[in-house]
Amino acid sequence: MHMQWKKTFALIFSGQIFSILTSSMVQFSIIWHLTETTGSAAVLMIAGLAGFLPQALLGPFIGVWLDRWNRKITMMVADSVIAFSSLVLGIYYLWGEPSLWVVYAILLLRSTASAFHAPSFQAAIPLIAPEEQLTRVAGWHQLVFSASSVLGPALAIAVYSATSLGTVLLLDVVGALIANLMLLLVNIHQPKPEIIQTPSFQKEFILGWKAFLSEKSVVTITVAMAVFSVVFMPLAMLFPLMTLSHFGRGGYSASLIEAVFGIGMILGGALLSVLASKWKDSTYMSLSLVVIGLTCLLSGIIESHAFILFVVLSFFMGAAAPLFNGPYMAMIQKSYEPEKLGRVLSFVTSIGLLSSPIGLALAGPIVDRFGVQIWFFWAGIVVILIGTFIKLYFIGKENKHVGQGSI
């Protein structure tokens, strides 16, 4: 039994590696293609909104269905929809250039399917792995995503340059089919849904929201994560601008920063999977945020000739990221019953996604007026404060429990 869950995860993860990698390739290739063919920031903005808004808007509601449905089948259907959308768009590009509205529609469909796939996969993990192994499994998951973030763009541009965008999209079809094949080979226990007690969608939605609010620690971390998303998510678009405008370097240097950040994430995920049981989840999360904050702050004050230092800081920033994401997800998985976990994960995901546009809206005018480094600097200050708050919050909680136990 001890080895069985590891075999199950080996099969699932081997399939997910192909699916996540090819999806990363598609994401990069589409943005690259739209940039090359239109050169329009408005086009890229609409494509970005099409790619994440369905997940943000549908997230709180689809959790109700996820807790009713078979999670393995939900993942397979979602992957199949993503494969179908890639197939349709791939055929369009092999025959010619589709209209932008076709591209937007396909991105909307892919995002909608992803809104079901991601939380159903996370909600399935506690049904397979022992509770004491959830943080380690979260480290594996972060490792897969981090590796894809490094390899995906590199492979995408190689295939795109040698063939076409259509070929990249067809590879995504293959990746989804491999993921589904691996899921067919495993058995995932399905928790009994609470249909008798809560027969209506509205009641289940409210039940999921109340379940989320019942764990004060998770709510506190989620609010902190939302603030973190506001200041940190814009950095994804500001990294290239920092490289070009502050350091005066070109596309090669910008791609180097992306690669170094991704490599840091890989090593951070590997470190988490090895040292998962050494510290408490809250310790990893607070340490992660303090390190990320310090690297952002230093990036905001370094001179224009110190590009190598920026490379080093980007590496440590990437390495620290999984130390928050993995333990945060493991904490959620440990805190809720499996039959409610899908709804809770949907709420959490949507809160993070809905926070990001706020940061993007704020970052644009601030950076245009004061320069890119000002956002790095103050983002670093805010993130350090969040990390410190999380540490102090859990110290206070532990002291309260000790005090109650001595009475």
Side-chain angles (χ1 to χ4, degrees), residues 338-357:
E339 60 269 17
K340 298 177 183 177
L341 190 55
R343 280 163 283 183
V344 171
L345 287 170
S346 295
F347 287 128
V348 169
T349 302
S350 293
I351 290 170
L353 288 172
L354 289 171
S355 302
S356 302

Side-chain angles (χ1 to χ4, degrees), residues 155-206:
L155 292 174
I157 198 62
V159 176
Y160 177 89
S161 300
T163 56
S164 66
L165 178 56
T167 303
V168 179
L169 287 157
L170 294 182
L171 286 176
D172 190 40
V173 177
V174 176
L177 292 176
I178 293 175
N180 277 351
L181 175 62
M182 294 304 172
L183 281 170
L184 281 173
L185 299 178
V186 302
N187 180 45
I188 300 177
H189 168 71
Q190 181 68 17
K192 185 178 180 181
E194 299 178 316
I195 300 299
I196 297 176
Q197 292 84 355
T198 54
S200 72
F201 179 93
Q202 182 180 3
K203 287 183 179 180
E204 290 196 52
F205 179 86
I206 294 173

Side-chain angles (χ1 to χ4, degrees), residues 380-403:
I381 295 292
V382 172
V383 174
I384 290 173
L385 291 175
I386 295 172
T388 304
F389 164 76
I390 290 175
K391 184 62 177 176
L392 294 176
Y393 171 80
F394 280 96
I395 290 176
K397 190 175 180 180
E398 290 171 5
N399 290 339
K400 182 178 179 180
H401 287 162
V402 171

Side-chain angles (χ1 to χ4, degrees), residues 222-235:
T222 301
V223 172
M225 181 270 295
V227 178
F228 170 77
S229 296
V230 169
V231 298
F232 187 75
M233 292 306 292
L235 295 182

